[in-house]
Short mmCIF file of all heavy atoms in Angstrom, two decimals:
data_model
loop_
_atom_site.label_atom_id
_atom_site.label_comp_id
_atom_site.label_asym_id
_atom_site.label_seq_id
_atom_site.Cartn_x
_atom_site.Cartn_y
_atom_site.Cartn_z
N HIS D 29 -12.41 3.98 -17.11
CA HIS D 29 -11.25 4.20 -16.23
C HIS D 29 -10.43 5.36 -16.76
O HIS D 29 -10.23 5.48 -17.97
CB HIS D 29 -10.40 2.94 -16.15
CG HIS D 29 -10.95 1.89 -15.24
ND1 HIS D 29 -10.29 0.71 -14.99
CD2 HIS D 29 -12.09 1.86 -14.51
CE1 HIS D 29 -11.01 0.00 -14.14
NE2 HIS D 29 -12.10 0.67 -13.84
N ASN D 30 -9.93 6.20 -15.86
CA ASN D 30 -9.17 7.37 -16.30
C ASN D 30 -7.74 7.38 -15.78
O ASN D 30 -7.04 8.38 -15.92
CB ASN D 30 -9.88 8.67 -15.96
CG ASN D 30 -10.62 8.59 -14.65
OD1 ASN D 30 -10.22 7.85 -13.75
ND2 ASN D 30 -11.68 9.36 -14.53
N SER D 31 -7.31 6.30 -15.13
CA SER D 31 -5.90 6.14 -14.78
C SER D 31 -5.36 4.89 -15.44
O SER D 31 -6.05 3.86 -15.45
CB SER D 31 -5.71 6.04 -13.26
OG SER D 31 -5.99 7.27 -12.64
N LEU D 32 -4.16 4.99 -15.97
CA LEU D 32 -3.54 3.85 -16.66
C LEU D 32 -2.10 3.70 -16.20
O LEU D 32 -1.39 4.70 -16.04
CB LEU D 32 -3.59 4.06 -18.18
CG LEU D 32 -3.05 2.91 -19.03
CD1 LEU D 32 -3.92 2.67 -20.26
CD2 LEU D 32 -1.61 3.13 -19.43
N PHE D 33 -1.71 2.45 -16.01
CA PHE D 33 -0.40 2.15 -15.44
C PHE D 33 0.34 1.16 -16.33
O PHE D 33 -0.27 0.21 -16.84
CB PHE D 33 -0.54 1.51 -14.04
CG PHE D 33 -1.45 2.27 -13.11
CD1 PHE D 33 -2.83 2.13 -13.19
CD2 PHE D 33 -0.92 3.13 -12.17
CE1 PHE D 33 -3.67 2.83 -12.34
CE2 PHE D 33 -1.75 3.84 -11.32
CZ PHE D 33 -3.12 3.68 -11.40
N TRP D 34 1.63 1.34 -16.47
CA TRP D 34 2.51 0.37 -17.12
C TRP D 34 3.48 -0.19 -16.08
O TRP D 34 4.14 0.58 -15.37
CB TRP D 34 3.31 1.01 -18.25
CG TRP D 34 2.54 1.21 -19.53
CD1 TRP D 34 2.01 2.37 -20.00
CD2 TRP D 34 2.25 0.21 -20.51
NE1 TRP D 34 1.39 2.15 -21.21
CE2 TRP D 34 1.53 0.84 -21.55
CE3 TRP D 34 2.52 -1.14 -20.63
CZ2 TRP D 34 1.08 0.16 -22.68
CZ3 TRP D 34 2.08 -1.82 -21.75
CH2 TRP D 34 1.37 -1.17 -22.77
N TYR D 35 3.55 -1.52 -16.04
CA TYR D 35 4.44 -2.22 -15.11
C TYR D 35 5.35 -3.16 -15.88
O TYR D 35 5.02 -3.62 -16.98
CB TYR D 35 3.65 -3.07 -14.11
CG TYR D 35 2.84 -2.32 -13.10
CD1 TYR D 35 1.52 -1.96 -13.35
CD2 TYR D 35 3.37 -2.00 -11.85
CE1 TYR D 35 0.76 -1.28 -12.42
CE2 TYR D 35 2.61 -1.32 -10.90
CZ TYR D 35 1.32 -0.98 -11.19
OH TYR D 35 0.56 -0.31 -10.25
N ARG D 36 6.46 -3.49 -15.27
CA ARG D 36 7.36 -4.52 -15.78
C ARG D 36 7.59 -5.55 -14.67
O ARG D 36 7.80 -5.16 -13.51
CB ARG D 36 8.70 -3.89 -16.20
CG ARG D 36 9.74 -4.88 -16.69
CD ARG D 36 10.94 -4.17 -17.26
NE ARG D 36 11.70 -3.44 -16.25
CZ ARG D 36 12.83 -2.79 -16.52
NH1 ARG D 36 13.32 -2.77 -17.76
NH2 ARG D 36 13.47 -2.15 -15.56
N GLN D 37 7.54 -6.83 -15.02
CA GLN D 37 7.73 -7.87 -14.02
C GLN D 37 8.85 -8.81 -14.44
O GLN D 37 8.84 -9.35 -15.55
CB GLN D 37 6.44 -8.68 -13.80
CG GLN D 37 6.54 -9.67 -12.64
CD GLN D 37 5.21 -10.36 -12.37
OE1 GLN D 37 4.51 -10.79 -13.29
NE2 GLN D 37 4.84 -10.46 -11.09
N THR D 38 9.82 -8.99 -13.56
CA THR D 38 10.90 -9.95 -13.76
C THR D 38 11.05 -10.77 -12.49
O THR D 38 10.60 -10.36 -11.41
CB THR D 38 12.25 -9.27 -14.08
OG1 THR D 38 12.59 -8.43 -12.95
CG2 THR D 38 12.16 -8.41 -15.32
N MET D 39 11.70 -11.90 -12.60
CA MET D 39 11.93 -12.74 -11.43
C MET D 39 12.80 -12.01 -10.43
O MET D 39 12.59 -12.09 -9.22
CB MET D 39 12.60 -14.05 -11.86
CG MET D 39 11.69 -15.00 -12.62
SD MET D 39 10.37 -15.64 -11.59
CE MET D 39 11.32 -16.68 -10.48
N MET D 40 13.80 -11.29 -10.94
CA MET D 40 14.77 -10.66 -10.05
C MET D 40 14.19 -9.46 -9.31
O MET D 40 14.44 -9.26 -8.12
CB MET D 40 15.99 -10.21 -10.85
CG MET D 40 16.85 -11.35 -11.35
SD MET D 40 17.61 -12.26 -9.99
CE MET D 40 18.70 -11.00 -9.34
N ARG D 41 13.39 -8.65 -10.01
CA ARG D 41 12.98 -7.36 -9.45
C ARG D 41 11.49 -7.30 -9.11
O ARG D 41 11.02 -6.30 -8.56
CB ARG D 41 13.34 -6.24 -10.41
CG ARG D 41 14.84 -6.15 -10.70
CD ARG D 41 15.11 -5.11 -11.79
NE ARG D 41 14.81 -3.77 -11.31
CZ ARG D 41 15.69 -2.98 -10.70
NH1 ARG D 41 16.92 -3.41 -10.48
NH2 ARG D 41 15.35 -1.76 -10.33
N GLY D 42 10.75 -8.37 -9.45
CA GLY D 42 9.32 -8.36 -9.17
C GLY D 42 8.58 -7.40 -10.08
O GLY D 42 8.99 -7.15 -11.21
N LEU D 43 7.50 -6.84 -9.57
CA LEU D 43 6.63 -5.94 -10.34
C LEU D 43 7.05 -4.49 -10.08
O LEU D 43 7.04 -4.04 -8.94
CB LEU D 43 5.18 -6.17 -9.92
CG LEU D 43 4.07 -5.64 -10.81
CD1 LEU D 43 4.10 -6.32 -12.17
CD2 LEU D 43 2.73 -5.88 -10.14
N GLU D 44 7.41 -3.80 -11.14
CA GLU D 44 7.87 -2.42 -11.01
C GLU D 44 6.96 -1.49 -11.81
O GLU D 44 6.68 -1.76 -12.98
CB GLU D 44 9.28 -2.27 -11.58
CG GLU D 44 10.35 -3.13 -10.94
CD GLU D 44 11.65 -2.99 -11.71
OE1 GLU D 44 11.77 -3.61 -12.80
OE2 GLU D 44 12.54 -2.25 -11.25
N LEU D 45 6.55 -0.40 -11.18
CA LEU D 45 5.76 0.61 -11.89
C LEU D 45 6.69 1.44 -12.78
O LEU D 45 7.68 1.99 -12.30
CB LEU D 45 5.04 1.52 -10.90
CG LEU D 45 4.23 2.66 -11.51
CD1 LEU D 45 3.06 2.12 -12.32
CD2 LEU D 45 3.74 3.60 -10.42
N LEU D 46 6.37 1.52 -14.05
CA LEU D 46 7.18 2.31 -14.98
C LEU D 46 6.65 3.72 -15.09
O LEU D 46 7.38 4.70 -14.98
CB LEU D 46 7.19 1.64 -16.36
CG LEU D 46 7.76 0.22 -16.43
CD1 LEU D 46 7.63 -0.32 -17.84
CD2 LEU D 46 9.21 0.21 -15.98
N ILE D 47 5.34 3.85 -15.34
CA ILE D 47 4.73 5.16 -15.56
C ILE D 47 3.24 5.03 -15.34
O ILE D 47 2.67 3.95 -15.53
CB ILE D 47 5.02 5.67 -16.99
CG1 ILE D 47 4.50 7.09 -17.22
CG2 ILE D 47 4.45 4.72 -18.04
CD1 ILE D 47 4.95 7.71 -18.53
N TYR D 48 2.60 6.13 -14.90
CA TYR D 48 1.16 6.11 -14.91
C TYR D 48 0.58 7.44 -15.37
O TYR D 48 1.21 8.49 -15.22
CB TYR D 48 0.57 5.60 -13.60
CG TYR D 48 0.34 6.60 -12.50
CD1 TYR D 48 -0.87 7.28 -12.38
CD2 TYR D 48 1.30 6.79 -11.52
CE1 TYR D 48 -1.10 8.15 -11.34
CE2 TYR D 48 1.08 7.66 -10.47
CZ TYR D 48 -0.12 8.33 -10.38
OH TYR D 48 -0.35 9.19 -9.34
N PHE D 49 -0.60 7.35 -15.95
CA PHE D 49 -1.32 8.47 -16.53
C PHE D 49 -2.63 8.70 -15.77
O PHE D 49 -3.29 7.74 -15.36
CB PHE D 49 -1.69 8.18 -18.00
CG PHE D 49 -0.53 8.01 -18.93
CD1 PHE D 49 0.12 6.78 -19.05
CD2 PHE D 49 -0.10 9.05 -19.73
CE1 PHE D 49 1.18 6.60 -19.93
CE2 PHE D 49 0.96 8.89 -20.62
CZ PHE D 49 1.60 7.67 -20.71
N ASN D 50 -2.99 9.97 -15.62
CA ASN D 50 -4.34 10.36 -15.18
C ASN D 50 -4.94 11.20 -16.30
O ASN D 50 -4.34 12.20 -16.71
CB ASN D 50 -4.30 11.18 -13.89
CG ASN D 50 -4.40 10.32 -12.66
OD1 ASN D 50 -4.55 9.10 -12.74
ND2 ASN D 50 -4.32 10.95 -11.52
N ASN D 51 -6.12 10.80 -16.76
CA ASN D 51 -6.78 11.56 -17.83
C ASN D 51 -5.83 11.84 -18.99
O ASN D 51 -5.73 12.98 -19.48
CB ASN D 51 -7.37 12.86 -17.29
CG ASN D 51 -8.50 12.60 -16.30
OD1 ASN D 51 -9.38 11.78 -16.56
ND2 ASN D 51 -8.46 13.29 -15.17
N ASN D 52 -5.08 10.81 -19.39
CA ASN D 52 -4.18 10.83 -20.54
C ASN D 52 -2.90 11.62 -20.31
O ASN D 52 -2.07 11.73 -21.21
CB ASN D 52 -4.86 11.37 -21.82
CG ASN D 52 -6.24 10.80 -22.04
OD1 ASN D 52 -6.55 9.71 -21.57
ND2 ASN D 52 -7.08 11.53 -22.74
N VAL D 53 -2.70 12.16 -19.12
CA VAL D 53 -1.52 12.97 -18.83
C VAL D 53 -0.55 12.16 -17.97
O VAL D 53 -0.98 11.60 -16.95
CB VAL D 53 -1.90 14.27 -18.09
CG1 VAL D 53 -0.66 15.05 -17.70
CG2 VAL D 53 -2.84 15.11 -18.95
N PRO D 54 0.73 12.07 -18.34
CA PRO D 54 1.68 11.32 -17.49
C PRO D 54 1.87 12.03 -16.16
O PRO D 54 2.17 13.23 -16.11
CB PRO D 54 2.97 11.32 -18.33
CG PRO D 54 2.83 12.45 -19.29
CD PRO D 54 1.38 12.63 -19.55
N ILE D 55 1.68 11.28 -15.08
CA ILE D 55 1.77 11.85 -13.73
C ILE D 55 3.11 11.51 -13.09
O ILE D 55 3.72 12.35 -12.43
CB ILE D 55 0.61 11.34 -12.85
CG1 ILE D 55 -0.73 11.74 -13.44
CG2 ILE D 55 0.77 11.84 -11.42
CD1 ILE D 55 -0.92 13.24 -13.60
N ASP D 56 3.54 10.27 -13.24
CA ASP D 56 4.78 9.84 -12.60
C ASP D 56 5.50 8.89 -13.55
O ASP D 56 5.02 7.79 -13.79
CB ASP D 56 4.47 9.15 -11.27
CG ASP D 56 5.74 8.72 -10.52
OD1 ASP D 56 6.85 8.94 -11.04
OD2 ASP D 56 5.60 8.18 -9.41
N ASP D 57 6.61 9.34 -14.10
CA ASP D 57 7.40 8.47 -14.98
C ASP D 57 8.75 8.15 -14.35
O ASP D 57 9.69 7.79 -15.06
CB ASP D 57 7.57 9.10 -16.35
CG ASP D 57 8.38 10.38 -16.31
OD1 ASP D 57 8.72 10.84 -15.19
OD2 ASP D 57 8.68 10.93 -17.37
N SER D 58 8.84 8.28 -13.05
CA SER D 58 10.14 8.06 -12.38
C SER D 58 10.61 6.62 -12.48
O SER D 58 11.79 6.34 -12.29
CB SER D 58 10.05 8.47 -10.91
OG SER D 58 9.04 7.72 -10.25
N GLY D 59 9.72 5.70 -12.80
CA GLY D 59 10.10 4.31 -12.93
C GLY D 59 10.61 3.93 -14.31
O GLY D 59 11.11 2.82 -14.50
N MET D 60 10.51 4.82 -15.26
CA MET D 60 10.99 4.52 -16.62
C MET D 60 12.50 4.39 -16.55
O MET D 60 13.20 5.34 -16.15
CB MET D 60 10.59 5.64 -17.59
CG MET D 60 9.09 5.75 -17.76
SD MET D 60 8.41 4.43 -18.75
CE MET D 60 8.33 5.24 -20.35
N PRO D 61 13.04 3.24 -16.95
CA PRO D 61 14.46 2.96 -16.69
C PRO D 61 15.44 3.90 -17.39
O PRO D 61 16.45 4.25 -16.83
CB PRO D 61 14.63 1.51 -17.15
CG PRO D 61 13.42 1.16 -17.92
CD PRO D 61 12.36 2.11 -17.57
N GLU D 62 15.16 4.29 -18.57
CA GLU D 62 16.08 5.18 -19.30
C GLU D 62 15.39 5.73 -20.54
O GLU D 62 14.23 5.41 -20.80
CB GLU D 62 17.36 4.41 -19.67
CG GLU D 62 17.09 3.06 -20.30
CD GLU D 62 18.30 2.15 -20.23
OE1 GLU D 62 19.18 2.28 -21.10
OE2 GLU D 62 18.39 1.33 -19.30
N ASP D 63 16.12 6.57 -21.26
CA ASP D 63 15.52 7.26 -22.39
C ASP D 63 15.08 6.34 -23.51
O ASP D 63 14.34 6.75 -24.40
CB ASP D 63 16.51 8.30 -22.96
CG ASP D 63 16.72 9.45 -21.99
OD1 ASP D 63 15.91 9.57 -21.04
OD2 ASP D 63 17.68 10.21 -22.18
N ARG D 64 15.51 5.12 -23.47
CA ARG D 64 15.09 4.18 -24.52
C ARG D 64 13.61 3.85 -24.40
O ARG D 64 13.01 3.34 -25.33
CB ARG D 64 15.92 2.89 -24.44
CG ARG D 64 17.41 3.08 -24.66
CD ARG D 64 18.13 1.74 -24.68
NE ARG D 64 18.04 1.04 -23.40
CZ ARG D 64 17.28 -0.04 -23.20
NH1 ARG D 64 16.57 -0.55 -24.19
NH2 ARG D 64 17.25 -0.62 -22.01
N PHE D 65 13.05 4.12 -23.22
CA PHE D 65 11.64 3.82 -22.96
C PHE D 65 10.82 5.10 -23.10
O PHE D 65 11.20 6.16 -22.57
CB PHE D 65 11.46 3.27 -21.55
CG PHE D 65 11.92 1.85 -21.37
CD1 PHE D 65 13.26 1.53 -21.43
CD2 PHE D 65 11.00 0.85 -21.13
CE1 PHE D 65 13.70 0.22 -21.25
CE2 PHE D 65 11.41 -0.47 -20.94
CZ PHE D 65 12.76 -0.79 -21.00
#
Side-chain angles (χ1 to χ4, degrees):
Chain D
H29 281 183
N30 35 29
S31 290
L32 183 139
F33 310 82
W34 282 103
Y35 291 89
R36 177 172 67 177
Q37 187 174 44
T38 61
M39 289 293 291
M40 290 295 294
R41 300 173 67 90
L43 196 63
E44 301 173 282
L45 177 65
L46 299 177
I47 185 171
Y48 87 90
F49 296 83
N50 269 357
N51 294 314
N52 315 335
V53 176
I55 299 301
D56 183 359
D57 65 354
S58 59
M60 295 286 263
E62 47 199 278
D63 291 346
R64 298 185 297 107
F65 286 68

